[in-house]
Amino acid sequence: MFSSSQMFTSNQISEGLGFGTSQTPAANSPEGAKRPRQEEKQTCLPVTIRAMEVAVAQRAEGGDDLKFFGTEPSMLIIVAAVESVVRQSTGLELSLNDATGRIKARYFVTDPQPGHLESIVEGRYISAFGSVRSAPAMHFAINGLRLVESADEVSYHMIEAAYAALRLQHGPKEPATPAPKRAAVEAAPDLLSPQKDMSSVPAAPPAAAVATAPEASPQAAPVKPAGALSGAELRAGVLEAIRGEESPEGMALTALFAKFPTSTQGQVREVVDGLVSDGEIFGTIDDEHFSAV
């Protein structure tokens, strides 16, 4: 497929340098030096049929050039299903549908190759690039096309079209990731108070040996095992561990159990289910492997 993030560049010479016999400058003159080539950037934008309809309607209201989200792309890309085909000697007339709208399309071929047009039939999906024309009626002028080989290409094109539209309207944004925790700053030696001289302080007299009943000490609270995590701490630890996994399959649930031995498997599984529900992580190859968003 074509990608919205790619930009094609072509070098074109804007003016022909045609001199007559009396106008030919000397080779060593400044006029005889070659002019630098002008570089023209041509953008290729993935769109939907609905986006074409909106752009044509806005141009009809304002009378401006045909713009898509404030830009004028040189070429448009669509992926759509063929609803009808009319074969002609010079090309094809198609009716396309991409679930956002329908549009007529025309494809002119000056030198058709054997079997090139026979594969374009009703019900097949095609990927085509071209431009929108409004005369004599709104249609898509196809410059080139090919058959879609996988159903994933349809989904990928829709994602690319949505991403390109959002990027052109709102611009690039930095990912909203939490700021890294700062390490605790150690106190500088010069900020510490000087050590006091305790030699001049008299020692306290020994306490009298008085037989007193020992005070009943309050019942000690149960001590939490060292390294045991729960609640928000366990959630943050599990999320950080999954984010640190670099394999494409993600982190296995058994690896998480081994990474947090002080927490029960039920607690770890409950935290993983909560992260999946919140959209922080997602399952990869099966229900036992997870990767961060």
Side-chain angles (χ1 to χ4, degrees):
M1 286 182 61
F2 303 93
S3 173
S4 60
S5 61
Q6 295 178 343
M7 181 171 293
F8 303 97
T9 305
S10 62
N11 295 324
Q12 299 179 346
I13 301 177
S14 58
E15 298 180 1
L17 302 179
F19 299 96
T21 55
S22 61
Q23 297 174 340
T24 305
N28 56 357
S29 63
E31 293 80 1
K34 292 184 179 180
R35 297 185 182 181
R37 294 184 177 181
Q38 296 181 356
E39 190 174 278
E40 180 182 351
K41 295 182 178 180
Q42 296 183 351
T43 56
C44 200
L45 181 67
V47 295
T48 61
I49 295 177
R50 176 59 181 166
M52 296 183 190
E53 295 173 349
V54 172
V56 172
Q58 290 177 350
R59 183 178 66 173
E61 293 177 359
D64 299 331
D65 296 332
L66 187 64
K67 294 184 178 181
F68 289 82
F69 315 110
T71 62
E72 298 181 24
S74 305
M75 202 69 63
L76 303 175
I77 304 173
I78 63 171
V79 174
V82 178
E83 290 189 334
S84 64
V85 183
V86 178
R87 303 183 184 277
Q88 299 177 349
S89 59
T90 58
L92 302 174
E93 287 192 5
L94 309 170
S95 177
L96 303 179
N97 185 349
D98 69 347
T100 67
R102 289 184 175 88
I103 191 172
K104 295 292 184 181
R106 295 179 179 177
Y107 180 42
F108 294 99
V109 182
T110 56
D111 188 14
Q113 300 297 325
H116 176 56
L117 301 181
E118 286 73 8
S119 58
I120 309 300
V121 296
E122 298 177 0
R124 295 295 302 269
Y125 276 81
I126 63 170
S127 176
F129 65 93
S131 57
V132 180
R133 305 287 176 83
S134 57
M138 177 183 170
H139 67 280
F140 186 63
I142 299 177
N143 293 347
L145 57 80
R146 66 174 179 84
L147 287 175
V148 170
E149 299 178 357
S150 171
D152 292 338
E153 295 187 36
V154 181
S155 302
Y156 292 160
H157 174 79
M158 286 298 182
I159 294 173
E160 289 179 343
Y163 175 77
L166 291 175
R167 188 177 180 87
L168 290 175
Q169 294 179 84
H170 303 289
K173 290 186 178 181
E174 295 295 331
T177 55
K181 296 181 179 180
R182 295 183 178 179
V185 180
E186 298 181 357
D190 55 347
L191 299 180
L192 299 177
S193 59
Q195 187 176 4
K196 296 180 180 179
D197 185 10
M198 303 298 294
S199 60
S200 60
V201 179
V210 181
T212 57
E215 296 181 1
S217 60
Q219 186 177 2
V223 179
K224 187 177 181 181
L229 299 177
S230 63
E233 294 179 352
L234 181 59
R235 175 188 173 92
V238 171
L239 182 57
E240 176 135 3
I242 295 177
R243 283 178 175 171
E245 183 62 32
E246 298 180 355
S247 64
E249 295 83 5
M251 175 163 284
L253 197 57
T254 54
L256 287 175
F257 293 156
K259 199 171 186 67
F260 301 94
T262 58
S263 302
T264 63
Q265 294 185 4
Q267 290 176 329
V268 175
R269 187 179 292 274
E270 182 179 355
V271 168
V272 170
D273 293 340
L275 291 173
V276 172
S277 301
D278 295 341
E280 297 286 349
I281 62 176
F282 61 92
T284 56
I285 59 176
D286 54 24
D287 295 337
E288 301 294 325
H289 290 76
F290 301 90
S291 182
V293 176

